[in-house]
Amino acid sequence: MDEILNSGNIPYVSEASVSVEIETEDMTLNIGPQHPSTHGVLRLVAKVDGEKISSVEPVLGYMHRGYEKLAEVRTYPQITTLVNRIDWVSGFANEIPFIAATEKLMEIEAPERAKHIRLILTEMARIASHFVFNGAYALEIGALTPIFLAMEDRERILDLIESVTGGRFHPNFNRIGGIKPAAGSGPTTKKNVQDLPSGFYQETRDAMEKVLEAVERMEDLVGGNEVFKMRTKGVGIISKELAEEYGVSGPILRASGVKFDLRTQTDFLPYDKFEYEIPTGENGDCYDRWYVRLVEMRESAKIILQAIDSMPSGPLQTKVPKVIKVPKGQSYVRTENPKGEMGYYIISEGGLGPYRLKIRTPSFSNISILPVLLEGQLLPDLIAIMGSLDFVLGDVDR
Amino acid sequence: MKMNLSNSPEFVESLTSAFPTLENKFDTLKITVKSSEWVEKVSQLKDEFNLTYFSWLSAIDWENEVSVGDPPKEPVTSHFEIVCCLSDSLEGNLVLISTDIEKEDAKIPSLVKVFAGSNWHEREAYEMFGIEFINHPNLTKMYLPDDYEGNPMLKSFELISREVKPWPGEVDVEGMPDDGAEENS
């Protein structure tokens, strides 16, 4: 042995190992439907080559409740109960486009005060939803602390929503042509109409100050963390063209540099009266998506503070017939849900319920990009990318 | 905040000249085209009118005899209507484009070549209505189990829970079962 080694005829070991080719086979990895990082029951069938993902096929349907079919056997006021439960993290924001589409068909308009209250609660739902994202996303990346801070901060917002609507997650607060009398504000008489609970303005101001503080803290705590930056910067880049082609909307589209916010195109909520910024990202990576949502929370808090200061007085409900019948017609209305474009296409044949209700949800289109986005990525990045899309399975399956 | 309300008059005007069938009711623009021109017209909207944002695609089952909900007020010819919603991402113009296909021959070319995002929407319409999208890369079930039979969104498809169990609001409250039990003991 020593002779051979000394003779110098043996090639270097490293050279020998390079020339050997090992046949590798793709392994199928089943992620979900019960996986903590999928925010629910999404199943991914991934083909992996070592750490590298060669293809991903999302499997849906574990949360499919058939709302489009159920809507056909319900009356218009009953459907608000259903649509609450589509994206349960921001229940209130789901009601708005449905109510707006119905009001468009009936050609009625809610009073100014009702519109203001709707706007405040929609923005509160946005803040609550983004708090969940901020906490959960950091958790997925490996930081345990932010989720506890975010949940505590979100609780204040949910308490406010509850004080007005009586429900924390499913407010069911909108009525066609206005809003329900608020909960906890005393008995209704003809002279003394129920309105916002006493002390609501001050409590909201305090809560919004806390939100602004929380955003600062989160920016520092999570955004300043080197590990978080390394895990998210330059990971999962979505180009503008790809996002548009797949109908990706909301903060994800804005993180890719498209300044597209449906709040500026809404004529049924008074967004035009307030000053706010629309944050956009530059790179379209996970970090930008996180950052856009963080800044949005700050802007939402600003909108709420302005709306409280300029709250008009007046009735909460316009006159509508006792039995609501919607005239024949078709209407599509979309709004900026915390997760993106949420729209309802109502086809009315003049009955008590819609002939057909198409529900366009943001998460469905947002995650349809997953097979393209995850191809060629590393397995640990899968969690970072999926988390940054911030989807809710109720919003995907409907 | 500067508002940028959707569907500017100039846009509606230019669209009307290209598509005389344009309907503008309840702030919703809707174009009806022939099914043979489906892909061509959608591409035209994408390229010429800058509607590059694919919002959604779905179908409607027009039927006079329905097993759920109310039938249409005026009799309709039985057919499927395919609706696709396109928008642009800067000015917020939004258009619905629709086409009618026969139920006996429920086939239409897929839009996947024009908008890759239509993939999942077409799969959903295939599963829920039984419409075949020609040249679709992966026309399989989206939500339902593989061996599921039937297309749930069809108007002829009964909602089983409503058939077996009537709406609870219509049922009188029955006597408590332990009323008779006390006498026996």
Side-chain angles (χ1 to χ4, degrees):
Chain A
M1 187 70 181
D2 284 350
E3 280 170 19
I4 302 171
L5 281 175
N6 293 335
S7 70
N9 287 336
I10 291 186
Y12 289 112
V13 176
S14 56
E15 262 177 40
S17 65
V18 166
S19 65
V20 174
E21 280 192 8
I22 304 167
E23 290 260 321
T24 56
E25 222 173 78
D26 279 2
M27 187 182 84
T28 306
L29 181 70
N30 218 341
I31 305 167
Q34 268 86 25
H35 191 273
S37 75
T38 54
H39 305 253
V41 281
L42 176 71
R43 182 175 153 217
L44 295 176
V45 182
K47 289 251 185 338
V48 288
D49 179 10
E51 284 270 278
K52 209 174 165 193
I53 299 167
S54 37
S55 74
V56 166
E57 183 60 42
V59 181
L60 310 179
Y62 296 92
M63 188 53 83
H64 187 242
R65 296 156 290 176
Y67 278 179
E68 289 182 8
K69 184 81 174 176
L70 288 176
E72 287 175 10
V73 292
R74 275 165 174 71
T75 61
Y76 287 95
Q78 285 174 333
I79 293 172
T80 46
T81 329
L82 281 185
V83 298
N84 256 302
R85 283 151 178 80
I86 292 175
D87 169 8
W88 49 72
V89 184
S90 58
F92 190 86
N94 297 328
E95 296 176 16
I96 297 293
F98 175 73
I99 292 290
T102 316
E103 285 175 357
K104 277 227 163 105
L105 284 172
M106 292 178 74
E107 296 182 71
I108 54 172
E109 214 172 305
E112 278 301 312
R113 190 178 173 83
K115 282 185 187 175
H116 264 71
I117 296 173
R118 279 180 185 175
L119 181 141
I120 289 173
L121 290 169
T122 310
E123 292 304 315
M124 281 184 180
R126 190 184 317 279
I127 294 176
S129 169
H130 284 355
F131 263 133
V132 174
F133 166 76
N134 262 288
Y137 190 49
L139 186 70
E140 280 156 18
I141 298 292
L144 192 63
T145 319
I147 182 99
F148 296 111
L149 295 171
M151 286 295 158
E152 193 193 336
D153 289 323
R154 181 179 78 136
E155 203 56 34
R156 276 190 214 101
I157 307 293
L158 291 183
D159 283 348
L160 280 173
I161 296 177
E162 188 185 6
S163 75
V164 180
T165 66
R168 281 154 54 82
F169 291 98
H170 307 308
N172 196 18
F173 188 58
N174 283 292
R175 297 288 176 268
I176 292 159
I179 52 171
K180 199 174 114 180
S185 55
T188 310
T189 58
K190 271 195 176 166
K191 279 182 188 167
N192 182 20
V193 179
Q194 286 181 340
D195 209 321
L196 294 171
S198 60
F200 176 75
Y201 294 157
Q202 194 49 47
E203 276 170 36
T204 309
R205 278 196 194 98
D206 294 347
M208 289 309 126
E209 291 303 321
K210 290 264 170 56
V211 169
L212 294 175
E213 272 171 40
V215 172
E216 294 268 303
R217 190 174 52 194
M218 203 71 84
E219 198 170 355
D220 214 27
L221 183 73
V222 183
N225 185 307
E226 277 306 314
V227 179
F228 182 79
K229 279 189 200 164
M230 284 164 81
R231 288 289 307 275
T232 53
K233 279 202 171 170
V235 173
I237 295 172
I238 303 176
S239 70
K240 175 180 173 285
E241 292 75 25
L242 188 72
E244 288 189 10
E245 195 169 340
Y246 277 82
V248 171
S249 52
I252 307 174
L253 185 62
R254 287 193 286 278
S256 299
V258 185
K259 203 169 184 175
F260 182 59
D261 192 322
L262 294 169
R263 284 182 290 182
T264 60
Q265 296 161 14
T266 310
D267 54 355
F268 43 87
L269 288 181
Y271 280 109
D272 53 336
K273 292 184 178 153
F274 310 119
E275 286 300 319
Y276 57 97
E277 297 287 318
I278 300 168
T280 51
E282 282 169 8
N283 307 320
D285 56 6
C286 292
Y287 184 84
D288 278 1
R289 292 196 275 278
W290 170 81
Y291 190 70
V292 163
R293 290 197 184 93
L294 193 75
V295 178
E296 261 181 28
M297 282 163 66
R298 188 187 291 151
E299 298 304 323
S300 292
K302 282 184 195 165
I303 295 176
I304 293 174
L305 286 173
Q306 291 173 53
I308 293 250
D309 289 336
S310 65
M311 178 75 88
S313 59
L316 293 174
Q317 175 84 39
T318 49
K319 279 199 169 170
V320 288
K322 209 165 189 183
V323 177
I324 287 181
K325 277 192 178 175
V326 175
K328 187 173 168 165
Q330 305 187 350
S331 162
Y332 178 65
V333 171
R334 54 181 186 166
T335 56
E336 187 71 27
N337 185 272
K339 291 174 178 63
E341 177 194 339
M342 173 127 208
Y344 294 87
Y345 180 39
I346 300 181
I347 294 165
S348 170
E349 279 292 321
L352 293 170
Y355 181 78
R356 166 106 169 88
L357 177 70
K358 160 71 190 165
I359 306 171
R360 195 271 185 207
T361 54
S363 297
F364 180 76
S365 293
N366 286 357
I367 73 160
S368 73
I369 203 172
L370 272 179
V372 190
L373 193 57
L374 289 174
E375 202 182 315
Q377 299 281 352
L378 293 177
L379 202 52
D381 287 343
L382 179 139
I383 305 294
I385 292 170
M386 235 163 46
S388 76
L389 296 183
D390 185 28
F391 54 88
V392 163
L393 256 290
D395 203 30
V396 174
D397 286 0
R398 302 184 296 277
Chain B
M1 191 74 204
K2 193 180 157 283
M3 293 300 274
N4 195 5
L5 289 179
S6 52
N7 299 333
S8 59
E10 300 87 47
F11 175 74
V12 177
E13 206 171 289
S14 67
L15 204 64
T16 318
S17 56
F19 296 94
T21 56
L22 182 80
E23 264 183 56
N24 188 0
K25 284 182 189 162
F26 305 108
D27 296 341
T28 308
L29 297 179
K30 189 171 178 183
I31 298 166
T32 314
V33 298
K34 283 183 204 148
S35 61
S36 54
E37 301 172 327
W38 177 240
V39 178
E40 185 194 325
K41 293 290 176 192
V42 172
S43 314
Q44 189 189 349
L45 284 175
K46 183 186 181 185
D47 300 332
E48 288 175 25
F49 293 90
N50 200 23
L51 299 169
T52 50
Y53 175 85
F54 176 83
S55 186
W56 52 269
L57 179 144
S58 193
I60 305 157
D61 177 17
W62 289 103
E63 190 62 72
N64 290 314
E65 300 212 346
V66 298
S67 65
V68 287
D70 300 322
K73 270 223 162 143
E74 292 143 22
V76 291
T77 47
S78 161
H79 67 275
F80 287 127
E81 183 182 346
I82 316 270
V83 188
C84 174
C85 177
L86 304 176
S87 153
D88 85 14
S89 62
L90 292 169
E91 286 151 22
N93 297 321
L94 181 117
V95 173
L96 301 177
I97 178 165
S98 93
T99 184
D100 294 345
I101 55 171
E102 285 173 22
K103 280 198 171 173
E104 290 72 38
D105 186 30
K107 282 180 191 164
I108 187 141
S110 166
L111 289 180
V112 171
K113 288 266 161 59
V114 189
F115 287 105
S118 67
N119 186 325
W120 282 20
H121 295 264
E122 286 178 355
R123 271 175 71 187
E124 194 186 345
Y126 158 75
E127 167 181 61
M128 293 296 165
F129 294 91
I131 297 164
E132 194 192 322
F133 291 87
I134 302 159
N135 292 333
H136 188 284
N138 177 28
L139 204 60
T140 49
K141 286 207 160 75
M142 187 101 228
Y143 298 124
L144 303 171
D146 288 338
D147 53 355
Y148 191 90
E149 283 177 17
N151 306 102
M153 280 303 287
L154 291 181
K155 283 284 176 183
S156 57
F157 190 93
E158 288 175 0
L159 206 54
I160 306 293
S161 58
R162 280 294 166 88
E163 291 303 312
V164 178
K165 206 166 58 179
W167 184 240
E170 291 171 3
V171 181
D172 285 333
V173 179
E174 291 168 20
M176 294 298 280
D178 60 0
D179 283 357
E182 273 183 18
E183 289 172 14
N184 294 338
S185 61

